[in-house]
Amino acid sequence: RGIGHKKFKKTKIGEIPEEWEIVTLGKFVKIVSGNYYPLKDFVKSGVPVLKIDNVGYGEISWDTISHIPNRVA
């Protein structure tokens, strides 16, 4: 429902704040398929990596999120 929003609109994914819009994930992120970052190169903080094991039906679990360095050599 957003934070502090007072007016909402009904959409195909449910009720959202009037100012929001529904867009595809690809509008904001680069989706890479078939490539995998080596496990040894993950770090404790940096750029979050959304992996298939973080995705469930209708939800994303951020409990086990992995990170890659902010700059890749």
Side-chain angles (χ1 to χ4, degrees):
R1 296 207 61 147
I3 300 172
H5 295 281
K6 304 284 187 223
K7 295 183 180 181
F8 300 89
K9 62 183 176 185
K10 293 192 183 296
T11 69
K12 62 184 176 184
I13 64 166
E15 200 172 77
I16 63 173
E18 275 187 355
E19 302 85 24
W20 291 9
E21 63 178 300
I22 298 172
V23 298
T24 61
L25 184 60
K27 182 175 179 177
F28 297 101
V29 298
K30 180 179 178 183
I31 299 173
V32 178
S33 178
N35 296 321
Y36 196 77
Y37 205 79
L39 289 175
K40 67 179 180 60
D41 293 335
F42 282 108
V43 294
K44 292 186 186 242
S45 65
V47 179
V49 177
L50 182 65
K51 299 180 297 188
I52 194 64
D53 61 329
N54 300 110
V55 179
Y57 185 75
E59 66 182 18
I60 294 176
S61 169
W62 296 103
D63 296 339
T64 60
I65 200 73
S66 299
H67 298 84
I68 59 173
N70 287 327
R71 291 187 165 250
V72 178

